[in-house]
Amino acid sequence: MRAEVSNAKILVVKVGSSLLIDGNQLNRKWLAALAADLAQARANGQQIIVVSSGAVALGCAALGLSRDTLTLEQSQAAAATGQIDLAHGWKEVLQPLGLSAAQILLTLEDTEQRRRYLNGRRTLQSLLDLGAIPIINENDTVATQELRYGDNDRLAARVAGMISADCLILFSDVDGLYTAAPGKDASAELITEIDVIDEAVMAMAGGSNSDYGSGGMITKLEAARIAMQSGCHMVLADGRMQHPLVALSQGAASTLFKAHENPRSARQNWIGGNLKPRGSLHIDAGASAALQAGKSLLPIGVTAIDGEFERGDCVAIIGPDGFDMARGLTAYASASAARIIGRQSSEIVSLLGYNGRSEMIHRDDLVMSQTTSNGK
Ligand code: GLU
């Protein structure tokens, strides 16, 4: 078994329509076998997220539409219809194994906008903590042409980044990336491991200019790039056999795309390096010591606020000595934050009229500046 798969604490498994659909129907036998694999992984202590396609295909069958000539409106109607069958199918196979299926439909903005990204991540984390299996698909019904992931390979990679997953498996109808088109070129060989996606690798998938058709090899490489950058390994493997996860564990062929960094530091890079602070929080010595010790920032340790920001925005954290000591994503907009600073978290509900998060910035959303260790 690839250690990257067996050691993953959070595993995202993406399955394509071609695997799930047999003729016009859900391939229940295959789905039940995959569910058994997922239950086994859960029993081994792994947290599992599924990204499942198939809504459009199932909806087409139900509505009598041809998949080849779909207008955007028709594919939205098909998705709305088919998603019910798809979610139900997952529930039917997971429930007998004692697992709860939880449906999540995402739009592109859910991973691009920080506030929604934060909400989505927390919901996913809660579901995982409760032992449920999130079953994710794109919210095709509201996604417009310009504003959509377009394919579930890239959606799955974004989800993997969002939840800081350790490994993403794309189950497909190919067993990996070949040096040339298998079937067309007799010398084509499977590549077992890829560290960097460069022009040479893109060329193996048919060249960087080929179509970004849903499910094509280029979209898989794009997904790999997203996953690797966010610190997540990606495995591309054949999912056509029964029990594909077990097959992978028994050494079935696959291509591993190695993560660049571990998930925590990739996400922290995003917070610390890619986001412009919209404001700042000044903190006292007690809070400063707590942050140095790896704790979250609580409202009681904040002494003043600069700037106007929304919940989920990046803010700078200024220590008592005036140094910019950390960056983080704030759980409160500046107007609400101003009302709770210097106060106990237990007072939040009476101060704001709703029960907000106890932390001003949760530790997972916080990254210390490299300069703090020497105080400069
Ligand atoms: N969201 C689409 C569906 O459920 C699938 C997109 C894809 O597989 O890339 O039918």
Side-chain angles (χ1 to χ4, degrees):
M1 168 71 125
R2 286 193 180 277
E4 289 78 7
V5 176
S6 54
N7 292 344
K9 289 199 191 77
I10 303 182
L11 192 59
V12 179
V13 177
K14 183 257 166 178
V15 290
S17 302
S18 64
L19 301 175
L20 273 156
I21 312 294
D22 187 11
N24 275 339
Q25 292 184 354
L26 212 49
N27 186 345
R28 285 176 202 278
K29 188 167 168 237
W30 179 86
L31 195 57
L34 175 63
D37 291 3
L38 299 179
Q40 184 59 51
R42 281 251 3 129
N44 293 342
Q46 294 183 290
Q47 295 188 315
I48 309 289
I49 293 171
V50 172
V51 175
S52 176
S53 306
V56 173
L58 287 170
C60 281
L63 298 174
L65 295 167
S66 159
R67 279 175 81 184
D68 304 326
T69 55
L70 282 182
T71 63
L72 176 65
E73 291 74 18
Q74 286 173 331
S75 74
Q76 290 176 321
T81 311
Q83 184 62 34
I84 294 182
D85 291 336
L86 184 61
H88 191 249
W90 276 104
K91 181 180 167 169
E92 268 184 354
V93 295
L94 289 171
Q95 205 166 30
L97 300 165
L99 295 170
S100 301
Q103 173 181 270
I104 298 189
L105 299 178
L106 291 176
T107 55
L108 189 62
E109 287 163 311
D110 294 324
T111 43
E112 302 269 287
Q113 288 183 9
R114 291 189 298 283
R115 195 195 312 202
R116 287 163 70 162
Y117 176 94
L118 275 181
N119 280 336
R121 205 181 71 223
R122 288 201 190 279
T123 306
L124 272 178
Q125 192 58 61
S126 312
L127 286 168
L128 293 179
D129 292 345
L130 291 165
I133 301 211
I135 310 290
I136 300 179
N137 197 358
E138 178 156 14
N139 194 351
D140 293 308
T141 305
V142 295
T144 57
Q145 209 81 285
E146 320 80 59
L147 217 68
R148 61 197 321 232
Y149 298 100
D151 64 86
N152 277 5
D153 296 328
R154 282 177 288 180
L155 167 62
R158 302 278 190 118
V159 165
M162 179 177 185
I163 193 71
S164 300
D166 311 281
C167 188
L168 160 67
I169 302 174
L170 296 188
F171 279 127
S172 175
D173 53 5
V174 286
D175 53 10
L177 177 66
Y178 282 78
T179 50
K184 285 194 194 146
D185 187 334
S187 70
E189 278 176 40
L190 181 84
I191 305 171
T192 53
E193 195 168 313
I194 292 206
D195 292 314
V196 185
I197 296 181
D198 52 18
E199 277 301 307
V201 172
M202 293 300 274
M204 292 174 199
S208 44
N209 294 326
S210 71
D211 282 350
Y212 278 71
S214 171
M217 190 54 83
I218 294 285
T219 64
K220 299 200 177 350
L221 293 188
E222 281 297 320
R225 202 197 296 267
I226 295 166
M228 291 158 88
Q229 280 171 356
S230 60
C232 178
H233 300 295
M234 190 183 102
V235 175
L236 177 57
D238 193 347
R240 284 172 297 183
M241 70 289 276
Q242 302 290 316
H243 297 286
L245 196 54
V246 168
L248 198 56
S249 77
Q250 290 171 349
S254 63
T255 301
L256 167 70
F257 297 85
K258 287 205 74 134
H260 290 172
E261 304 157 66
N262 67 50
R264 175 54 54 90
S265 66
R267 214 169 66 73
Q268 290 196 327
N269 280 345
W270 177 65
I271 295 169
N274 298 314
L275 303 177
K276 193 168 169 271
R278 305 278 162 191
S280 36
L281 303 179
H282 296 263
I283 64 170
D284 63 19
S288 168
L291 295 197
Q292 314 267 12
K295 302 212 171 102
S296 297
L297 177 63
L298 302 178
I300 195 161
V302 182
T303 54
I305 292 174
D306 293 329
E308 272 182 35
F309 44 83
E310 293 296 318
R311 177 176 171 219
D313 277 347
C314 179
V315 292
I317 300 174
I318 314 294
D321 51 6
F323 287 112
D324 180 346
M325 63 180 293
R327 294 284 154 89
L329 306 182
T330 173
Y332 290 93
S334 45
S336 310
R339 286 156 63 189
I340 59 171
I341 61 171
R343 309 294 286 264
Q344 295 286 352
S345 299
S346 54
E347 296 176 273
I348 291 174
V349 65
S350 57
L351 290 167
L352 297 183
Y354 62 90
N355 200 4
R357 306 232 153 90
S358 4
E359 305 90 7
M360 186 72 100
I361 301 180
H362 190 275
R363 188 66 202 186
D364 291 348
D365 299 330
L366 194 143
V367 54
M368 304 296 287
S369 307
Q370 258 128 30
T371 46
T372 19
S373 54
N374 58 11
K376 298 240 159 51

